[in-house]
Amino acid sequence: MDFKKRKQIRLKGYDYSQSGAYFITICTYNREPIFGFIDNGTMKYSEFGKIAFNEILHTKIIRKKYGISINEFVVMPNHIHMIIQIVGTRRAVSDNSQCEAFAKPTKQSIPTVVRAYKSAVTRKMREYSNGHGAPCPYVVWQSRFHDHIIRNGDEYRVISKYVSENPMNWKDDCFYADC
């Protein structure tokens, strides 16, 4: 069988478990607005949106002991933005021994944290759907996520402002057209 090779989307050779700040965007499958809607610059959560929001709060708690914090986040109708910070590791650019490989996740790395978050939200959405008869999409998330390594304080401030103001600027957002 001839499989098409997937395009590498992570920075080649970069260790995503090293200390630093990372801007993460996770989109719903087909950018469906399953998390709610924006009303007058404020996010109004659906039950699924409440699950996504609460799971970020839960992730903040359980990952804190590993030096991982979610400093800023916003749940939008069809995507989520987070700034995840890893502190306390001493690794630098990797020799590829710490890089994620298929079926070989690196503990407490950005891909592992995002994967666990997406999995937990999907599981809780399905549990909610089964108990309340609410339709849950079979596929909740796009298969990948976007990341940006935040390189300095100025960049952090710009991204932080973007995240916090995202609901107020929804109509100008690149994801708005999909709703």
Side-chain angles (χ1 to χ4, degrees), residues 28 53 84 113 118 156 176:
T28 60
F53 182 90
I84 300 176
V113 171
K118 288 167 71 171
Y156 186 99
Y176 174 75

Short mmCIF file of all heavy atoms in Angstrom, two decimals, residues 28 53 84 113 118 156 176:
data_model
loop_
_atom_site.label_atom_id
_atom_site.label_comp_id
_atom_site.label_asym_id
_atom_site.label_seq_id
_atom_site.Cartn_x
_atom_site.Cartn_y
_atom_site.Cartn_z
N THR A 28 -12.15 23.10 15.45
CA THR A 28 -13.11 22.00 15.38
C THR A 28 -13.11 21.44 13.96
O THR A 28 -12.68 22.10 13.01
CB THR A 28 -14.53 22.48 15.74
OG1 THR A 28 -14.93 23.50 14.82
CG2 THR A 28 -14.60 22.99 17.17
N PHE A 53 -14.24 24.72 27.80
CA PHE A 53 -13.73 25.72 28.74
C PHE A 53 -13.29 25.07 30.04
O PHE A 53 -12.18 25.30 30.52
CB PHE A 53 -14.83 26.76 29.00
CG PHE A 53 -14.41 27.87 29.92
CD1 PHE A 53 -13.84 29.02 29.41
CD2 PHE A 53 -14.59 27.76 31.29
CE1 PHE A 53 -13.45 30.06 30.26
CE2 PHE A 53 -14.20 28.79 32.14
CZ PHE A 53 -13.63 29.93 31.63
N ILE A 84 0.41 28.38 26.10
CA ILE A 84 0.91 27.38 27.03
C ILE A 84 2.37 27.69 27.31
O ILE A 84 3.14 27.91 26.38
CB ILE A 84 0.76 25.95 26.46
CG1 ILE A 84 -0.71 25.63 26.16
CG2 ILE A 84 1.36 24.92 27.43
CD1 ILE A 84 -0.93 24.28 25.50
N VAL A 113 0.28 17.52 25.48
CA VAL A 113 -0.72 18.28 26.22
C VAL A 113 -1.94 18.54 25.35
O VAL A 113 -3.08 18.34 25.78
CB VAL A 113 -0.12 19.61 26.75
CG1 VAL A 113 -1.20 20.51 27.34
CG2 VAL A 113 0.97 19.33 27.78
N LYS A 118 -7.58 17.47 23.77
CA LYS A 118 -8.58 17.15 22.74
C LYS A 118 -9.30 15.85 23.07
O LYS A 118 -10.52 15.74 22.91
CB LYS A 118 -7.90 17.06 21.36
CG LYS A 118 -7.46 18.41 20.82
CD LYS A 118 -6.52 18.31 19.64
CE LYS A 118 -7.17 17.82 18.38
NZ LYS A 118 -6.28 17.92 17.20
N TYR A 156 4.82 38.08 23.00
CA TYR A 156 3.89 37.53 23.98
C TYR A 156 2.75 38.51 24.25
O TYR A 156 1.58 38.14 24.27
CB TYR A 156 4.62 37.20 25.29
CG TYR A 156 3.74 36.50 26.30
CD1 TYR A 156 3.80 35.12 26.43
CD2 TYR A 156 2.83 37.20 27.09
CE1 TYR A 156 2.99 34.47 27.34
CE2 TYR A 156 2.02 36.55 28.00
CZ TYR A 156 2.10 35.19 28.12
OH TYR A 156 1.28 34.53 29.00
N TYR A 176 -14.22 33.36 11.29
CA TYR A 176 -15.62 33.80 11.31
C TYR A 176 -16.38 33.38 10.04
O TYR A 176 -17.50 32.95 10.11
CB TYR A 176 -15.69 35.33 11.45
CG TYR A 176 -17.09 35.87 11.33
CD1 TYR A 176 -17.99 35.72 12.38
CD2 TYR A 176 -17.52 36.52 10.18
CE1 TYR A 176 -19.28 36.22 12.28
CE2 TYR A 176 -18.80 37.02 10.08
CZ TYR A 176 -19.68 36.87 11.12
OH TYR A 176 -20.96 37.34 11.03
#
